[in-house]
Each structure stands twice: as C-alpha cells, then as structure tokens.
Amino acid sequence: MGEFEVHRVRFFGLVPAGVRCLACHPRGSRLALARTDGAVEVYNFAANYFQEKVIPGHEARSVESLCWAAGDRLFGAGLGGDITEYDLSGLSAARGLDGGGGPIWSMVANSSGSQLAIGCEDGSVKIFQVVPGGIQFERNLDRRKGRVLCLSWHPSDTHIVAGSINFFRVIDVTSGQTVQRIMVNHHVEKAKRECVVWAIALLSSGTVVSADSFGRVQFWDWEQGTLAESHTVSTSAVLSLAVSQKEDSMIVGTSTGATYHLQLLPVRLGGLEKRWVRTKPFQFHSHDVRAVAHSPTALISGGLDAQLVIRPLMEKVQKKSYDSALRKFTFPHRRLVSCARKARLLLFQFSQYLELWRLGSTEETGKDGEVLPLCRMPEHLVQLKSKGPEHIYCSCVSPCGTWLGYSTAARFQLYRVRCDGDSVSLRKV
C-alpha cells in the first residue's frame, strides 16, 4: 500500500435542520419527514428505511404538519397559511391553496383520506375535500377563541377533537358545532401558567388522549367531560403523541429528548379490565422531540437534534435479524462536500450558500499515524450565495478547480473560478 496523506477537515460548520413533523403512511410502507428548513424527505420501510426522496426546502415555506391522503398523495401545511401538495415524482411542491385562517398549526386526514382538517391561528377548524388534481374548500366548523395547535379525527369520521391553550373541544363534523369543551387544568389548584395542549388523539372508544406542557398524558371521557387517567411522564412538556392502529400502544416525546412508550395491558393476568401502563424512558435525543410516529412494527421519533430514530417493537419481531436492530439516522444522505483533487480545493454546500476552501499543507514528514504541523493553514477563498428563496439541492466543483456549479429545484448555475495568487474571482457562465 502506497503512502498517502489524510486531511482532517474540521472547518465545515454545518448545522443540520431539526425534524419538525412525521407522517406514517396508513399502510405502513412509507414515512414522510419534514425539517425545520422546509425540506421534506420520504423513507421506504420495505427497503430497510432507505431515504428514497428529498424535496428541498424553501425560505417562504414552513412545514408544521404532514399527512398522507387519497392513497399516496402527500400534503403539508405550515405557518405561511398554505396547504401544499407535493409532487413525489418531480420532487417539488406541486400545488398550494390558502387555508384562509392565518398560520396553520395542525392538519390531519380522515380515515378514508378523502378530507383534510386544518387548525388555524384564528381558532377555526376548516374542512377541505381531496379531489383529483388538488383540494377544494368544503366548510368551516365552529370557531372559538385561541389557536388550534393539534387535531385528531375519530376513526368513524363523525367527530374531531381540537387542542388549544388550557382546553380542548370535541366538534361534531355533521353539524359543525362544538359538543364538548374541557379545561385540562381545572383540577390543578392555583394554576398560574398556561397549559398548552401540544398533541391530542381521539380513540374509537371515545377516549380523548391529551399531551400538555405540564408533562402529562391524560385520558378523558369526552361525553361525560371527566378525567379517567393521568400519567405525569416528565417534569417538562410533552410535545408529541402517536397511537398505534390497534389503539393498544402509544409513544410520546418530551422536551428533554426522552420518549416514553405506553401500553394498554390487563390489570390481572387473563382479566378483562385494562389500564394504560408507562414503560421506561428511552433517551435517544439531546433536544426536543417534536415528532413521533407509530408504525405496526416500530416506534419512530424525530428531534430538533436532527436525528431520526427507529426502535423496533421487540414483541413484533420473531427472531433476531437486521429488522430488529435500532436505527439512528444522524447524517445527511446527500453529498454536501465536493473535492477538487488537483487544485486542493473543497466545496461545502449549505442550504442557501456555498463555501470554497483551499486545503492546508505541510512540509514535515513523520511516522504512520502522526499528526503533522501545518505550514499553511486552510484558507477560506469565497462564499457564493444563492439568489432567490429556493434552497440548494446539489453542487459540485470540477477536479481541476476551475468550474463550480449548483442547482436548485428550478434552475442551474455554472461559474468559472479564477485563482490569481491569493485572490479568487467568480464569473457566471
């Protein structure tokens, strides 16, 4: 084996975008993920959770919620107030429609995928019909004061539960009227701070499950308006909640980076009475867990630390194999560094700009494994900013270091690089 030099590059200051929301396909075959920079990724469960699609972000498009509807159609909504459908073949945002209620905090599809419900800043819940070629507004449901932070359909599509600050309400879809309004902190003595309902779920039994900023997961009988069970899982906020299709298991994510698994188990062996039991926490994240999902075979969580963690349910695994291994997606799947070997240049790709660096050099020699001192430090040559709100999708520098190009979802740019001593100039081609 011949001699070679290894350059340790520690000046690539990439800050990965955190995971904002997750959406598991109803058939359990795909997972959609949205990041804080507006990028949307699709993972394929059948191919060992391979990242098969990436839709680059956009400065004017934030994604607060994702959902699958009408088969394999993917929709997103955010604080810009628009509902966007994504073109998964063209990897772009295909169509958008203004929700008409200001920033959109939450969006869910009904069990058949034919309708979308959105929760808006102005306190309204709106229903949209999914039609071929897009969506169309259907009607407004009962509007109350306070932004709607989370939504959930009943499996029979007859009711919607909407979570806000200090309360949640149950809405009859047919009449559009609120049939129950429950204060989540009425039993807390001298509650001086607001209780934010961050996530909510309406089970087929009529039980409402709420996760709030007091660190509680609570189970409510909405018809009677009473609290059935309460689990304080954390000293900080519970930010996300997902329930399995069989409604016997759920996962919650907290602002401490911990995730908790709750299961519906018999009180006595062989008995009919069941209660929700919390298992031990799993500390896979270092920051807020803003998104969780529950597939038929795994618990999935995404945090602001940019990690996607997939933990298989061991009771669903028949034997130890690759399918039963814990997966952590930590690094970007795309190439963000390009090297010009002849010119000793490195090109770093960020969301809206590129950085061109010249590698350092040394005149020392040493034994294998030794770190040699540099006689010339790495040099930052130029920063090239992308024009427009679109994020950079891919970039490259030629091996000779004289050509530099990058592409967004809509356009391609090519530049000629000229290095005259210590000065560098770029000329657009």
Side-chain angles (χ1 to χ4, degrees):
M1 192 176 203
E3 294 184 354
F4 58 90
E5 294 178 343
V6 177
H7 293 267
R8 295 180 179 176
V9 178
R10 299 183 178 180
F11 44 88
F12 184 22
L14 177 69
V15 179
V19 178
R20 182 60 192 89
C21 54
L22 297 171
C24 197
H25 196 279
R27 292 195 297 270
S29 58
R30 279 173 159 183
L31 175 74
L33 176 152
R35 297 191 177 271
T36 53
D37 63 352
V40 175
E41 305 168 6
V42 177
Y43 292 82
N44 192 329
F45 287 9
N48 293 327
Y49 300 94
F50 171 69
Q51 187 192 81
E52 64 176 23
K53 300 178 188 295
V54 176
I55 300 173
H58 194 284
E59 284 299 297
R61 185 174 65 238
S62 70
V63 184
E64 289 289 319
S65 184
L66 283 174
C67 68
W68 297 91
D72 294 331
R73 296 171 64 178
L74 180 63
F75 293 88
L79 301 183
D82 292 336
I83 305 172
T84 304
E85 182 175 1
Y86 295 99
D87 181 1
L88 297 182
S89 58
L91 300 183
S92 63
R95 291 171 290 271
L97 181 66
D98 186 5
I104 300 173
W105 289 93
S106 54
M107 178 177 63
V108 287
N110 64 352
S111 59
S112 62
S114 60
Q115 291 178 313
L116 298 177
I118 63 170
C120 303
E121 175 75 19
D122 64 355
S124 62
V125 177
K126 302 175 186 293
I127 303 293
F128 287 80
Q129 192 78 22
V130 181
V131 297
I135 58 174
Q136 63 183 19
F137 175 74
E138 185 174 328
R139 60 197 177 97
N140 279 311
L141 302 184
D142 188 20
R143 176 181 169 184
R144 297 293 175 91
K145 187 178 180 180
R147 63 177 63 142
V148 180
L149 297 172
C150 50
L151 290 171
S152 178
W153 286 82
H154 191 271
S156 64
D157 300 339
T158 57
H159 294 82
I160 292 177
V161 60
S164 299
I165 298 176
N166 292 329
F167 71 93
F168 69 84
R169 55 196 174 101
V170 182
I171 306 172
D172 186 277
V173 176
T174 304
S175 65
Q177 298 299 314
T178 298
V179 295
Q180 185 65 272
R181 184 177 183 272
I182 298 176
M183 301 294 293
V184 294
N185 60 347
H186 70 92
H187 58 286
V188 180
E189 294 183 4
K190 299 180 180 179
K192 296 181 180 180
R193 57 191 176 99
E194 293 179 335
C195 180
V196 182
V197 181
W198 284 116
I200 205 159
L202 180 54
L203 307 183
S204 56
S205 61
T207 301
V208 175
V209 187
S210 65
D212 58 41
S213 58
F214 286 2
R216 303 170 304 187
V217 178
Q218 297 181 310
F219 299 83
W220 304 83
D221 182 344
W222 73 264
E223 292 183 347
Q224 302 295 328
T226 57
L227 178 65
E229 292 184 51
S230 181
H231 297 263
T232 302
V233 299
S234 176
T235 56
S236 58
V238 179
L239 301 175
S240 49
L241 167 73
V243 184
S244 65
Q245 291 184 348
K246 294 183 178 181
E247 298 183 353
D248 59 352
S249 172
M250 69 177 63
I251 176 177
V252 296
T254 67
S255 60
T256 60
T259 56
Y260 295 84
H261 185 202
L262 286 84
Q263 291 179 284
L264 187 61
L265 300 175
V267 176
R268 294 182 179 179
L269 186 64
L272 298 178
E273 185 184 358
K274 294 183 178 181
R275 296 197 65 179
W276 287 95
V277 178
R278 185 192 66 181
T279 64
K280 67 176 182 178
F282 297 92
Q283 191 76 39
F284 296 129
H285 301 274
S286 59
H287 293 69
D288 296 2
V289 181
R290 299 296 299 271
V292 292
H294 200 310
S295 76
T297 59
L299 303 177
I300 307 166
S301 60
L304 292 184
D305 56 2
Q307 288 195 105
L308 174 66
V309 179
I310 300 174
R311 185 173 68 88
L313 293 169
M314 299 311 294
E315 62 268 20
K316 304 290 184 181
V317 179
Q318 301 298 326
K319 59 181 180 179
K320 290 185 178 181
S321 65
Y322 183 77
D323 293 334
S324 62
L326 177 72
R327 294 171 176 83
K328 285 187 178 182
F329 298 89
T330 308
F331 301 102
H333 285 214
R334 296 177 293 148
R335 188 180 72 170
L336 302 178
V337 179
S338 179
C339 178
R341 296 181 61 184
K342 296 180 180 179
R344 298 174 62 85
L345 299 178
L346 285 180
L347 180 68
F348 298 145
Q349 176 185 321
F350 297 85
S351 61
Q352 284 199 297
Y353 62 93
L354 305 173
E355 286 186 356
L356 188 64
W357 287 72
R358 179 183 285 124
L359 283 175
S361 59
T362 182
E363 296 177 353
E364 302 289 334
T365 58
K367 298 179 181 180
D368 292 345
E370 286 186 355
V371 179
L372 304 179
L374 295 177
C375 62
R376 181 171 181 172
M377 298 301 292
E379 184 181 358
H380 183 201
L381 300 178
V382 68
Q383 183 184 88
L384 177 62
K385 293 185 178 181
S386 172
K387 296 180 180 179
E390 294 179 320
H391 289 184
I392 298 173
Y393 186 72
C394 56
S395 61
C396 189
V397 61
S398 63
C400 60
T402 57
W403 297 97
L404 185 153
Y406 74 89
S407 176
T408 66
R411 56 195 173 89
F412 168 73
Q413 301 284 352
L414 180 64
Y415 291 85
R416 182 69 182 267
V417 182
R418 294 187 182 274
C419 297
D420 298 328
D422 293 334
S423 64
V424 178
S425 62
L426 295 178
R427 182 173 61 88
K428 187 176 178 180
V429 178

